[in-house]
């Protein structure tokens, strides 16, 4: 589970959302518009959190995921590589899965 959430998922999602979606939008739009678009699509892809966590925590999770998407687009734009956004995404997932590993309820 940890391998999937911390390594494979960030890798595949960054290829899809930054490499493909942001890359496609960036060819047609300015950075800000492309980054906001890809972050919005990224957050929408994770909208199941609202159902799973309820509106109070789910919408907060969505805001954090949107922010992660925007920051990942910024890193991709600045570095021209998917390594930095994938590492950021992996670190984000580590903090999300850490309570499961130490058997503590999430905040």
């Amino acid at each position: 589970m940890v391998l999937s959430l911390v390594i494979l998922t960030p890798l595949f999602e960054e290829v899809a959302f930054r490499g493909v979606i942001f890359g496609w939008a960036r060819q047609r739009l300015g950075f800000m518009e492309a980054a906001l678009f890809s972050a919005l699509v990224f957050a929408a892809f994770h909208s199941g959190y609202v159902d799973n966590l309820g509106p109070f925590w789910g919408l907060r999770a969505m805001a954090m995921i949107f922010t992660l998407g925007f920051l990942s687009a910024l890193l991709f734009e600045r570095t021209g590589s998917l390594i930095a956004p994938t590492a950021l995404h992996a670190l984000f997932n580590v903090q999300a899965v850490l309570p499961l590993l130490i058997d503590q309820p999430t905040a």
Side-chain angles (χ1 to χ4, degrees):
M1 179 175 92
V2 174
L3 173 69
S4 175
L5 289 172
V6 176
I7 297 172
L8 298 177
T9 298
L11 179 62
F12 291 131
E13 287 187 357
E14 290 308 316
V15 167
F17 290 102
R18 256 49 73 190
V20 176
I21 294 172
F22 173 76
W24 174 85
R26 188 64 178 99
Q27 291 175 346
R28 292 155 177 79
L29 304 168
F31 166 75
M32 187 62 70
E33 294 85 1
L36 291 172
F37 173 74
S38 67
L40 184 61
V41 173
F42 183 62
F45 179 78
H46 292 86
S47 64
Y49 285 109
V50 177
D51 292 334
N52 294 334
L53 299 173
F56 184 79
W57 291 111
L59 292 174
R60 283 158 180 74
M62 295 297 294
M64 290 189 309
I65 292 166
F66 177 85
T67 303
L68 172 64
F70 183 84
L71 292 174
S72 293
L74 178 62
L75 284 171
F76 182 55
E77 177 83 3
R78 298 288 171 123
T79 64
S81 168
L82 287 172
I83 294 172
T86 302
L88 175 65
H89 193 150
L91 288 172
F92 181 85
N93 285 7
V94 163
Q95 67 82 32
V97 78
L98 199 55
L100 300 174
L101 295 176
I102 59 174
D103 199 29
Q104 296 294 316
T106 58

